Amino acid sequence: MTRVFNFSAGPAALPESVLQTAAAEMLDWHGSGMSVMEMSHRGKEFISIADEAQALLRELLAVPAHYKVLFMQGGALAENAIVPMNMLRGKTAADYIDTGEWSKKSIKEAQKYCTVNVAASAKAGGYTSIPPRAEWALNPDAAYVHICSNETIGGVEYHFTPDVGSVPLVADMSSDILSRPIDVSRYGLIYGGAQKNIGPAGLTIVIVRDDLIGQALPATPSAFDYKTVADNDSMFNTPPTYAIYIAGLVFQWIKAQGGLAAMATHNAAKAALLYDFLDTTSFYSCPVARDCRSLMNVPFRLKDEKLDEAFLKGAKERGMVQLKGHRSVGGMRASIYNAMPLEGVKTLVAFMKEFEAQHG
Ligand SMILES: *Cc1c(COP(=O)(O)O)cnc(C)c1O
């Protein structure tokens, strides 16, 4: 068996030890005689798995007691609708910050439910930076302010938590949740699909402040009303049980590595290796402003795009896959989430140098 270095943006690489544990427990979880996939979600075995996953996530992120942690389905794109349905709370408008492909999708969906004020946009600069907080034109009557903390496609990440006063801050953290410590109390709501930095697709994480739930629009589907989900411990309907189990194993793995502080150090070291190299060469280039560069998704271009195919082929021959950039931006993208070892980035940089020496 050979495992590749998988630079996929999502679904993405998982820690190998997590996959090994899952394999070892596949047929018989802890003497239950069953696979986790075969368990009743209301049985004591699965309830213990879900409770432990939630407790670990709370511990890793230091989630305050007055926040609910919900395990939902539908991904971040469903949340683009579920957020306004739940968070408008009698108001009719919300502020959105436009920083790229994922914010654009959030904005478009929210427009079905409310008046969207795009309070700041990075569009004019080709989505290569985060508009400075001082330039945001916020509406004091907005129900919430929405940001995408890491634009997975453009490779643009917030390296600050914006102060938006008493209006709740809502963040799509699909692709940088658990990559570093955050202060959850600065947010009204955090959401994200699991398949980037947490576990398998199918699980959506929502962390929401207690006082913001219970006022969903009347037409909100019950399964998407945060109050219903919270009152039923995320088991109003059958939750994605196996995805929750794997997420729990990933949380254990993060804790064993030293928690989010250790993840932040590990991720900063990997990103620095790649960006420092990109800054020394004109053969490759990264379009993103230095202070907004993503530690999770590193987009870069070759000087001559006619070499792209040869680059991808050479990378594949060396065991590195999924480096092709998103179709909307072209070039390359290396996604280096928590589970990507430093060795993977070292191998990539070594290959980039070798390729430049041959073709530069
Ligand atoms: C991947 C991603 C999404 C889409 O998530 P789905 O689970 O496919 O709905 C949304 N936002 C961000 C920031 C993402 O990285």
Side-chain angles (χ1 to χ4, degrees):
M1 185 200 64
T2 319
R3 300 242 328 141
V4 293
F5 288 123
N6 177 5
F7 292 91
S8 171
L14 287 166
E16 201 169 303
S17 65
V18 165
L19 298 175
Q20 275 161 355
T21 302
E25 296 179 344
M26 180 59 76
L27 298 181
D28 176 9
W29 182 83
H30 295 202
S32 66
M34 284 179 272
S35 168
V36 175
M37 273 182 266
E38 303 169 303
M39 289 176 182
S40 162
H41 60 297
R42 307 208 185 273
K44 68 175 183 350
E45 290 95 348
F46 184 73
I47 299 235
S48 75
I49 290 170
D51 284 352
E52 194 192 345
Q54 181 179 158
L56 279 167
L57 181 58
R58 284 186 168 275
E59 181 183 337
L60 290 171
L61 282 168
V63 178
H66 61 294
Y67 283 71
K68 297 280 186 285
V69 169
L70 309 178
F71 292 150
M72 298 182 66
Q73 296 177 72
L77 291 190
E79 291 301 324
N80 282 343
I82 297 168
V83 164
M85 284 193 277
N86 281 272
M87 295 288 286
L88 285 169
R89 303 169 353 271
K91 295 185 182 265
T92 57
D95 285 340
Y96 278 73
I97 310 303
D98 173 25
T99 49
E101 296 299 320
W102 292 117
S103 325
K104 280 198 278 185
K105 284 200 164 57
S106 298
I107 289 165
K108 194 158 176 244
E109 189 74 3
Q111 281 166 338
K112 293 182 180 175
Y113 301 92
C114 62
T115 304
V116 170
N117 169 41
V118 178
S121 174
K123 188 176 180 187
Y127 294 117
T128 52
S129 65
I130 303 284
R133 170 65 189 87
E135 291 169 15
W136 298 10
L138 296 176
N139 166 13
D141 290 324
Y144 57 88
V145 180
H146 180 282
I147 63 170
C148 175
S149 58
N150 182 60
E151 287 282 358
T152 320
I153 293 173
V156 178
E157 185 173 21
Y158 283 74
H159 294 296
F160 64 99
T161 306
D163 184 350
V164 294
S166 58
V167 176
L169 180 63
V170 172
D172 175 358
M173 285 197 191
S174 294
S175 53
D176 67 350
I177 191 166
L178 297 181
S179 66
R180 55 179 169 174
I182 53 165
D183 181 355
V184 173
S185 73
R186 302 280 307 277
Y187 299 84
L189 185 148
I190 292 166
Y191 67 90
Q195 72 273 19
K196 314 294 168 58
N197 219 11
I198 293 183
L203 170 64
T204 313
I205 305 280
V206 173
I207 301 169
V208 58
R209 212 172 67 210
D210 285 344
D211 62 288
L212 299 173
I213 66 176
Q215 298 176 66
L217 297 178
T220 305
S222 304
F224 292 158
D225 182 331
Y226 295 143
K227 179 84 167 65
T228 313
V229 179
D231 287 350
N232 289 280
D233 291 327
S234 299
M235 296 209 194
F236 170 72
N237 60 332
T238 311
T241 52
Y242 199 74
I244 291 171
Y245 158 70
I246 300 287
L249 295 180
V250 172
F251 301 153
Q252 283 173 19
W253 175 80
I254 294 174
K255 186 174 169 178
Q257 308 296 302
L260 298 192
M263 283 298 118
T265 308
H266 164 67
N267 290 326
K270 286 183 293 176
L273 197 63
L274 196 41
Y275 286 119
D276 286 352
F277 169 65
L278 286 168
D279 287 340
T280 62
T281 153
S282 56
F283 185 78
Y284 302 99
S285 61
C286 170
V288 182
R290 276 169 201 256
D291 60 345
C292 313
R293 286 174 169 180
S294 170
L295 300 195
M296 299 283 100
N297 312 96
V298 183
F300 62 91
R301 286 177 178 284
L302 277 63
K303 199 166 69 180
D304 178 359
E305 68 180 42
K306 288 200 282 297
L307 292 170
D308 285 3
E309 282 310 313
F311 181 88
L312 291 166
K313 185 165 173 282
K316 184 146 193 250
E317 282 162 10
R318 289 159 183 78
M320 293 175 286
V321 301
Q322 298 285 348
L323 283 160
K324 194 174 165 71
H326 191 269
R327 61 189 181 281
S328 65
V329 291
M332 304 296 151
R333 172 176 50 170
S335 294
I336 50 174
Y337 299 115
N338 287 347
M340 173 59 66
L342 182 64
E343 200 50 38
V345 181
K346 283 187 178 160
T347 307
L348 175 61
V349 171
F351 169 62
M352 288 169 76
K353 287 179 181 164
E354 179 194 329
F355 190 86
E356 178 177 351
Q358 273 166 15
H359 300 272

